[in-house]
Amino acid sequence: MIDFYGLTSPNVQKIFIMLEECGLPYNFKPVDVWASAQHSAEFTKLNPNGKIPVIVDQDGPGGKPYTVFESGAILMYLAEKSGKFMPKDMAKKYDVIQWLMIQVTGVGPAFGNFTHFNLFAPKPADPYALARYRTEMLRLYDLLNTRLGQAKYLGGDEYSIADMATFPWTRQYQAQGAKIEALPNFKRWFDDLSARPAVKAMIAKQADIKSSRETATDENKDRFFNRGKYARA
Ligand SMILES: N[C@@H](CCC(=O)N[C@@H](CS)C(=O)NCC(=O)O)C(=O)O
């Protein structure tokens, strides 16, 4: 059994998709990051970085419980455990890892910062920050579209953890301002993934999760966003 700690964000959605795709049994344990639950002593024992997602595999290596944090590492762990969604051939495997890293180091930070400055930062939004992250996000949409014109999936011929990692960040492509008519390869991939039963299961499960995002206190929001009394600059 796998204990899966998370809430509703894209980094958590990736892990829902992978667990559903693999058919691995899991217990979902909500961590309300809008109520500062990620900073509890109990949770930071699992992830000293104080962020979700985290998994604890009760049947880890050597039959012992094993904890994994960082969504990219969790996807790689589950791929190795299940023997699925990561090719064994070395070149094909590194094709997948390269596109997984593009998501972890590029798509996640750029799309996340765009969302922060667009929706959460004090208004009026800083035009420099907004333009910087919007430009990088739209550049990455073009990159995904180009790649998906060369290969059916991000990692190559087969659906993999690179696709599962990227899809949740693109679910809001309309609100993010991506011009879908100029991204036909991306659109084909997006529709293909949206039709997968595991992706539909993730979306249904997300709808049932209770979060205090809409009712978060100013104190909890400041801690989440590293501002106010939590700012170090
Ligand atoms: N690089 C991490 C990022 C995880 C992350 O940023 N998680 C957010 C999801 S809302 C979080 O826990 N934020 C709470 C906080 O930063 O205090 C991963 O890919 O797992």
Side-chain angles (χ1 to χ4, degrees), residues 12 18 23-24 33 42 70 72 79 89 121 151 156 168-170 182-183 186 194 196 208:
V12 172
M18 181 62 171
L24 288 167
V33 290
E42 189 194 353
E70 283 296 318
D89 171 83
W169 286 95
T170 66
L183 302 168
F186 165 78
S194 300
R196 294 187 72 90
D208 289 339

Side-chain angles (χ1 to χ4, degrees), residues 9 11 14 33 38-39 50-53 70-72 104 223-224:
S9 61
N11 287 321
K14 305 167 182 179
V33 290
Q38 70 276 34
H39 302 297
K51 290 185 194 284
I52 49 173
E70 283 296 318
S71 59
V104 172
R223 195 168 190 194
F224 188 100

Side-chain angles (χ1 to χ4, degrees), residues 135-151:
T135 300
E136 179 61 359
M137 180 182 66
L138 296 178
R139 189 191 71 79
L140 285 164
Y141 269 109
D142 287 344
L143 175 71
L144 296 178
N145 188 58
T146 302
R147 170 62 179 164
L148 292 165
Q150 297 160 346

Side-chain angles (χ1 to χ4, degrees), residues 7-12 14-15 31 33-34 36 38-39 43 47 49-54 69-74 103-104 108-109 169 220 223-226:
L7 203 69
T8 57
S9 61
N11 287 321
V12 172
K14 305 167 182 179
I15 311 306
V31 178
V33 290
W34 297 96
S36 291
Q38 70 276 34
H39 302 297
F43 186 75
N47 184 358
N49 196 28
K51 290 185 194 284
I52 49 173
V54 171
F69 50 79
E70 283 296 318
S71 59
I74 297 171
Q103 187 286 308
V104 172
W169 286 95
N220 282 334
R223 195 168 190 194
F224 188 100
F225 292 129
N226 293 330

